[in-house]
Amino acid sequence: MEIADLAAKAVRSLSKQSGRNMKRRKTAPPISPHMIKHMVSDNGKFEVGYAMREVMPDDVLAKDYWVAGHGMGHKMEGVHDPITARAMWIGCPGSGGIVMCAIDCIGLTGADVDGVRERLVSFSRRSDCRSINISATHTHGGFDTLGYWGKLPRTGKDKDYMELLFSSICEIVNEAYDNRTTGDLYLGTVHVPDAQYDKREPIVLHDTLTRFRFVPDDGSTETWFLNFAAHPNTLGGDNRMCSADYPYYLRERINASKPVNVLFAIGAIGAVDPGDYCDDVYERTRIEGERLGDAALSIDNDRKLEARITELRQPFYIPADNGVLAFLASLNVMTSKRYPYDKGDLGLAMKTELTYLKIGDQRVLLLPGESFPETVYGGYASADVSATGQPANINPRPLCEIAGDDDLLVFGNTNDMTGYVVPPNDFVLHPTQPYLSTARDRFNNRHYHETNSLGYYAQEAIADTFAAMMERIREDESPAK
């Protein structure tokens, strides 16, 4: 038996014991359906505000900071471009509003997001804020904000940097609200087919770049919130420079043409990389960002959205079968919300959340982690080509089908980083080193993504939760109501 086999067996055993011990001490509390919140403008206008901070420590080159996203123990050696945090208040005058943040980082755990929300309780009261949402751009060139890209078994998160990040988020949330002004919100889209590459079968690409564009009545600076599905990992595993990756160039390209407040969020990016333009990683990163920036500037199909917002946030549990991640959580390498659970191999679950928004008539789903595009849009592998030989019908319904809306907009890696969400009929683990080593399927294709997922049941938990949410939304929207 290989050492890695023994390590995987030991980690799984320790994690199962942790689940049993936890079950003796506590139970997973039941989660009730949350309330649907409606915001309707009293003057037919939206209120939007914006604020931004650079989140760069003064000692970035004097202290050990770890680059997150590729390998462990990669010390940051310089700064290519700064990390920023951006916030947008979107409100309906007289009826409250929501906050959307876009942070240049690999991700934040739900526990850390809740910690930020707790700091903002007084803000929520004064602003009548119905929802605070934090979306990570998922740059693979930023600081380790999760914990497992340092030198294990110590966390890779730096306490002082995390405080700088959290306090910066709180500052920009308050400032965005204070900066709000009235105006109109528009939605536009454009296809950018050459800016993505799906490196894993089945090939499912959603090549739509979506733009929310706020135009203030007073003629001040517009605010754009952009969404596109491509991994900000263009700089590659050899990179040791601090960088926001291609979102940096995207924002710079737009601002070179016109002054705009720009926020960016990813879509369903599981196994979806940026376009493969050339071998030079910095040039490739620049091209990706500028191509998307030009695409955003080219949008000519804007339509005005009615000034109303619906919000439904729903916490839920995902069975956590990844013994490696569970073990790291038990060592406090990362912050987490773990509970005993009856379903799954380890008897553990992570508490996470989904948030449904309807801004005007546009449905938006805020998703934890990195969903494979077929889990959102469909296009599952059939039995003859799937990694497991199992048919597509063992998979949950795609999220667009559940919503009854092919134009459902998803923001991935939002309010929690739960890893990859892989379709069950494509889910393959290493036979003796599950979640520790990359597996090969029956076609000899690599299955890395499963090692960084919570497990087989992740998509099922998300789909079931969303289906229940949509039932309530449809009841709420029915003419009888």
Side-chain angles (χ1 to χ4, degrees), residues 343 396 402 459-469:
K343 191 168 187 176
I402 293 171
Q459 188 195 355
E460 177 186 287
I462 289 171
D464 287 350
T465 301
F466 187 46
M469 292 169 70

Side-chain angles (χ1 to χ4, degrees), residues 58-121:
D58 295 333
D59 57 0
V60 64
L61 299 182
K63 192 175 181 179
D64 287 350
Y65 292 102
W66 309 104
V67 181
H70 282 287
M72 297 175 182
H74 293 169
K75 185 178 180 295
M76 198 171 280
E77 297 175 356
V79 177
H80 178 270
D81 55 86
I83 297 302
T84 62
R86 298 159 190 259
M88 181 180 184
W89 166 269
I90 311 174
C92 295
S95 188
I98 64 173
V99 168
M100 298 294 298
C101 296
I103 314 299
D104 291 330
C105 70
I106 193 69
L108 294 173
T109 66
D112 281 339
V113 170
D114 281 347
V116 173
R117 288 168 173 162
E118 288 172 9
R119 297 184 184 207
L120 289 167
V121 168

Side-chain angles (χ1 to χ4, degrees), residues 90-370:
I90 311 174
C92 295
S95 188
I98 64 173
V99 168
M100 298 294 298
C101 296
I103 314 299
D104 291 330
C105 70
I106 193 69
L108 294 173
T109 66
D112 281 339
V113 170
D114 281 347
V116 173
R117 288 168 173 162
E118 288 172 9
R119 297 184 184 207
L120 289 167
V121 168
S122 60
F123 161 79
S124 294
R125 283 197 296 264
R126 82 175 178 97
S127 64
D128 196 16
C129 181
R130 311 299 183 88
S131 179
I132 296 172
N133 304 290
I134 302 177
S135 186
T137 62
H138 198 59
T139 173
H140 284 45
F143 297 86
D144 185 358
T145 51
L146 290 175
Y148 47 83
W149 279 286
K151 288 190 173 180
L152 299 177
R154 297 178 61 185
T155 182
K157 292 198 297 184
D158 181 84
K159 182 179 178 181
D160 293 335
Y161 182 77
M162 297 304 292
E163 176 57 34
L164 173 65
L165 177 60
F166 296 160
S167 60
S168 297
I169 294 172
C170 292
E171 288 172 7
I172 61 173
V173 166
N174 277 277
E175 189 175 320
Y177 175 73
D178 292 337
N179 290 342
R180 70 196 186 282
T181 185
T182 59
D184 295 316
L185 188 64
Y186 296 85
L187 183 77
T189 60
V190 64
H191 293 286
V192 198
D194 56 352
Q196 294 171 305
Y197 167 68
D198 192 340
K199 60 186 178 184
R200 177 166 159 171
E201 299 284 349
I203 305 301
V204 178
L205 292 172
H206 185 73
D207 66 4
T208 302
L209 185 146
T210 302
R211 181 184 73 184
F212 285 100
R213 181 172 73 98
F214 176 71
V215 181
D217 289 335
D218 62 8
S220 57
T221 304
E222 294 183 6
T223 297
W224 296 4
F225 205 138
L226 306 176
N227 173 279
F228 188 73
H231 247 88
N233 63 352
T234 326
L235 292 174
D238 292 331
N239 174 59
R240 301 294 183 271
M241 302 292 284
C242 174
S243 174
D245 206 272
Y246 75 75
Y248 167 77
Y249 288 102
L250 181 159
R251 298 183 297 240
E252 291 292 297
R253 185 68 159 200
I254 292 171
N255 287 147
S257 177
K258 62 185 300 184
V260 175
N261 304 319
V262 184
L263 303 92
F264 174 78
I266 55 171
I269 61 167
V272 179
D273 281 353
D276 190 10
Y277 309 108
C278 61
D279 292 333
D280 185 306
V281 295
Y282 285 100
E283 182 68 4
R284 190 163 71 230
T285 305
R286 181 190 65 78
I287 293 171
E288 177 76 5
E290 293 185 354
R291 188 150 295 184
L292 292 175
D294 287 339
L297 288 162
S298 77
I299 292 173
D300 60 3
N301 59 1
D302 272 347
R303 58 185 180 85
K304 184 177 172 181
L305 297 174
E306 183 183 1
R308 60 189 304 128
I309 302 170
T310 299
E311 188 265 356
L312 174 58
R313 172 177 168 261
Q314 184 59 58
F316 66 104
Y317 296 110
I318 296 181
D321 283 349
N322 190 324
V324 177
L325 292 181
F327 180 64
L328 293 177
S330 71
L331 297 177
N332 294 319
V333 167
M334 67 194 83
T335 54
S336 64
K337 294 178 287 186
R338 293 175 299 142
Y339 296 89
Y341 208 62
D342 291 333
K343 191 168 187 176
D345 181 52
L346 301 182
L348 290 169
M350 302 289 288
K351 188 178 181 183
T352 186
E353 65 181 72
L354 291 179
T355 297
Y356 167 91
L357 299 172
K358 193 173 183 182
I359 303 174
D361 63 354
Q362 177 62 55
R363 292 183 175 91
V364 182
L365 183 61
L366 310 182
L367 284 168
E370 305 163 75

